[in-house]
Amino acid sequence: MQKLFDEVASLDKRCYEEFFLSEDILMEHAASGMALYIRDNFRKNSKIVVVCGSGNNGADGAALARLLHKTYDISIFWAKKPASKMAFLQQNRALSVGVKEITELEDCDVLVDAIIGTGYSGSLSSALSTLIEEMNSVNAFKIACDIPSAFAFRADVTLTMGALKKSMFLDEAKDIVGEIKVLDLGVSREIYEKESNWRVLDLEDLKLPNRTKKDSHKGSYGHLALASGEKSGASIMSALCALRFGSGLVTLVGFEKIEIPHTLMYSHEVPKGATALALGMGLGVEFSEQELTKFLDNSLTLIADADIFCMPIALEILKRENVVITPHPKEFVSLLKITKIADISVDELQKERFKYAELFCKKFPDVTLLLKGANVIIGKNDNFFINPHGTPSLAKGGSGDVLSGLVASLLAQGYECLDAAINGSLTHVKLALNYKGADFSLTPDDLIDEISRL
């Protein structure tokens, strides 16, 4: 997993003050990293246009043009005239070796966006908005220098400087940033970065259930009790997923006669040997408050999802010591309101997902939050993780029920809540990535089938 930061200006400052690395040295390393990426991926003499802004992001772009001059057909288009000290310096350096400047965009093989970096916080002028729209329409491979300008430039790859920035992992940025690669700035990331309570998960962080003890039986791997309500299909999918993912036993708990797969069990109450509970998947309105209270009258680890977030008992669930909740944005907005943290719209949440995840986890430090989205946020107390590996193929009814089944299975097998949420989420995306069919064809049944091939 990789560290994630709100800003990197303080990290740059450490380089100046503690490591005796000047702004110029950091910039040259940034440009060298971008140049190396281009040399590794594009043939010599490819036509490259670097669009530069007036500040240090533009200076990075001008330095890149100088490094690639003669090896590539490279030119600079200044979106705004140089204004910073480094922009002037890098422009002069580029001109001195013969880099050409152009006054309008040209067709090219590679288009580099070096207009606006992480320090920018204003709104785009109409001229810049028009320019970025024109850049987006160019038929070229598109590279963003540090970050896509104002998150309006649509990059195929973002070559970011020094460390990962949280703004890159907002849901709305998912279609903007493309692939993200971090470039060193004269020291390794291990030195450049400081401590952070935010991390980005890598697929390699996944730890699957492992049956190494030979002297074991079904009870050795946990017993999940899963509430089955009005929409029993969702609870059955979750239950089958949990069983496939390693739970020794799975019992559906309900009050109606329903047809269930022969591999599952059914009961009107939580079995005595249960090791974890799952509640909310397909619950509907069938369970009365009395029945829900009875289901929850224990200290078992719990995962709560879906319908439960709109019920009064949600507040009682948040008081449990060992609980994972897995809301989607609309459900999380409802939770924020009933817990009196904030009364906001889904759009407002999506613009500040990190802020509201932190506020929620601060108020409920014993609850593990798994906030669904294009980039999943997982948090407990003051530790937060982002899973950015999801794909549009997961945008289908029942996908969330499979996720809940994965997490529930791990809870039943004895995983701590945070570990269960992290590994369940990583498994969920890996199942989708491993699927060989068309992305639009993926179903919850396909996800469950893929578990056997992990």
Side-chain angles (χ1 to χ4, degrees), residues 121-415:
S121 59
S123 57
L124 288 175
S125 66
S126 59
L128 279 183
S129 292
T130 300
L131 172 61
I132 292 176
E133 286 179 12
E134 186 180 353
M135 292 165 65
N136 285 334
S137 68
V138 172
N139 184 22
F141 187 89
K142 298 180 178 69
I143 298 174
C145 170
D146 200 23
I147 64 168
S149 289
F151 289 101
F153 178 74
R154 291 182 174 271
D156 293 300
V157 65
T158 295
L159 303 179
T160 198
M161 312 309 174
L164 292 171
K165 291 86 178 175
K166 282 166 70 173
S167 57
M168 296 174 172
F169 295 94
L170 284 169
D171 279 9
E172 63 184 9
K174 186 112 176 175
D175 290 320
I176 299 293
V177 296
E179 183 182 7
I180 300 173
K181 292 185 175 293
V182 180
L183 306 180
D184 289 343
L185 296 178
V187 292
S188 74
R189 286 174 69 183
E190 188 175 348
I191 296 172
Y192 177 81
E193 296 176 343
K194 57 184 179 182
E195 285 305 309
S196 173
N197 63 333
W198 281 83
R199 299 282 194 279
V200 174
L201 296 169
D202 298 317
L203 289 174
E204 293 73 22
D205 294 321
L206 173 60
K207 295 181 177 62
L208 293 170
N210 195 355
R211 295 192 170 194
T212 57
K213 186 179 179 182
K214 295 180 180 179
D215 181 19
S216 61
H217 52 84
K218 59 191 176 186
S220 304
Y221 302 103
H223 186 168
L224 175 67
L226 195 154
S228 179
E230 180 182 6
K231 303 168 186 175
S232 59
S235 58
I236 290 173
M237 278 193 297
S238 288
L240 288 172
C241 176
L243 192 66
R244 181 67 66 90
F245 201 44
S247 291
L249 294 163
V250 179
T251 295
L252 293 170
V253 179
F255 303 96
E256 297 291 331
K257 290 183 177 180
I258 60 172
E259 296 254 341
I260 65 170
H262 64 275
T263 51
L264 302 177
M265 298 184 293
Y266 195 84
S267 173
H268 295 311
E269 58 185 24
V270 175
K272 291 182 179 180
T275 55
L277 305 178
L279 176 65
M281 296 75 84
L283 190 66
V285 295
E286 182 178 301
F287 271 64
S288 67
E289 186 172 342
Q290 182 180 1
E291 290 164 342
L292 285 172
T293 300
K294 181 180 179 182
F295 183 81
L296 295 168
D297 186 21
N298 52 66
S299 59
L300 294 174
T301 304
L302 166 73
I303 177 171
D305 185 28
D307 296 331
I308 202 67
F309 301 129
C310 301
M311 299 180 179
I313 203 166
L315 289 172
E316 293 302 314
I317 287 173
L318 296 178
K319 296 176 183 178
R320 295 175 76 97
E321 288 189 4
N322 297 304
V323 59
V324 179
I325 63 170
T326 59
H328 59 54
K330 186 176 179 180
E331 292 163 346
F332 191 53
V333 164
S334 176
L335 274 179
L336 291 174
K337 184 174 182 178
I338 67 174
T339 56
K340 299 181 179 179
I341 294 174
D343 187 358
I344 58 172
S345 67
V346 171
D347 286 342
E348 289 172 305
L349 167 67
Q350 291 298 82
K351 290 176 182 177
E352 296 191 87
R353 283 166 62 88
F354 310 128
K355 169 186 171 181
Y356 289 109
E358 288 179 331
L359 287 173
F360 181 88
C361 290
K362 183 177 181 180
K363 184 165 184 177
F364 299 100
D366 293 327
V367 175
T368 298
L369 169 68
L370 190 159
L371 177 57
K372 298 172 186 173
N375 291 310
V376 173
I377 295 176
I378 302 167
K380 183 176 183 181
N381 199 344
D382 59 355
N383 290 303
F384 296 89
F385 304 84
I386 294 177
N387 179 358
H389 303 291
T391 76
S393 62
L394 287 168
K396 189 169 288 187
S399 176
D401 300 311
V402 171
L403 171 62
S404 296
L406 293 168
V407 177
S409 181
L410 295 177
L411 293 175
Q413 293 176 71
Y415 278 57

